[in-house]
Amino acid sequence: MNPTFEPTQPQRRKGRLQLLLILAVVIAPMLLAGAMYRFGFWVPETRSFDGVLVANGQGRDALGIAVPSEAEARWELLVTAPQGCTEACQELVYLARQINIGLAREAGRAGHALASGTTLAPAYEQQLQREYPQLKRYALEPSVYAENPDAPAGAQLWIVDPHGNLVLRYDEKIQGKAILDDLKYLLKISQIG
């Protein structure tokens, strides 16, 4: 006859305590994360980007920009000028090119573009053709642009992902280093483009 092992009362309590601790280690973080999400406590107030986040899935078409279907799928620094390309717009176009150059070895993953609501001045058009040969130009429909609540009036610089979604928006007062840092971070974490 085989002897049966009967645990003593202290051993049984110790086993139950270990089981409860294992369950607590697994379940408590999930409950805490759910409560943090639901009630919004211990959520960091800081952010790691300098622009205005456009996180509602809008594409370039929401700004009134028609992009040809054969367009290359890569990140884009898009300058919008619904009232024509003023001095602020011209500075953003220059900044977009400098940021693209500043990407160094990652420059091939991004491009720069200008979408204007009016025709450009002939002198500026010639300057763009001469000094910005890789700048893409799109037509912008001012009425569609004006209806978009995320698109303020005046020249803006947008970061657009390879799928055509708007990611971040900057006004003409932004420093180029901030945009460059944001774009480098997006390229680093992105598996597309």
Side-chain angles (χ1 to χ4, degrees):
M1 183 165 211
N2 292 337
T4 59
F5 176 73
E6 283 292 321
T8 62
Q9 197 65 11
Q11 288 177 331
R12 185 172 282 169
R13 272 194 228 126
K14 184 179 176 185
R16 286 182 185 159
L17 180 63
Q18 287 176 341
L19 176 64
L20 290 175
L21 285 174
I22 291 172
L23 289 175
V25 165
V26 172
I27 295 174
M30 290 188 286
L31 292 175
L32 180 63
M36 287 173 61
Y37 177 76
R38 174 90 169 122
F39 301 112
F41 63 91
W42 289 346
V43 178
E45 295 295 323
T46 60
R47 57 188 190 163
S48 62
F49 54 89
D50 292 296
V52 176
L53 183 64
V54 183
N56 54 7
Q58 291 185 65
R60 284 176 265 204
D61 55 337
L63 299 176
I65 300 170
V67 177
S69 59
E70 69 274 354
E72 194 175 349
R74 58 186 199 167
W75 290 87
E76 189 171 66
L77 294 159
L78 174 67
V79 177
T80 56
Q83 289 93 20
C85 201
T86 61
E87 185 178 333
C89 164
Q90 292 175 14
E91 288 179 20
L92 285 176
V93 170
Y94 174 76
L95 185 63
R97 181 182 68 172
Q98 294 304 106
I99 291 168
N100 197 354
I101 292 168
L103 289 173
R105 67 179 183 177
E106 298 288 342
R109 293 180 65 193
H112 50 288
L114 169 63
S116 179
T118 62
T119 57
L120 300 174
Y124 187 59
E125 181 70 41
Q126 290 176 355
Q127 179 185 356
L128 288 178
Q129 289 175 357
R130 187 176 60 253
E131 297 178 14
Y132 302 84
Q134 296 179 347
L135 179 73
K136 294 179 186 164
R137 277 166 250 158
Y138 305 127
L140 183 140
E141 183 60 45
S143 60
V144 176
Y145 188 90
E147 292 173 5
N148 190 327
D150 290 325
Q156 302 289 316
L157 192 145
W158 306 76
I159 293 181
V160 183
D161 74 8
H163 296 298
N165 300 314
L166 304 173
V167 179
L168 292 169
R169 177 181 55 82
Y170 306 90
D171 62 12
E172 69 270 2
K173 298 177 190 90
I174 192 70
Q175 297 293 316
K177 177 78 169 119
I179 302 170
L180 179 62
D181 289 343
D182 288 350
L183 186 55
K184 280 184 175 180
Y185 180 72
L186 288 169
L187 290 172
K188 179 180 174 184
I189 65 171
S190 172
Q191 299 295 323
I192 56 175

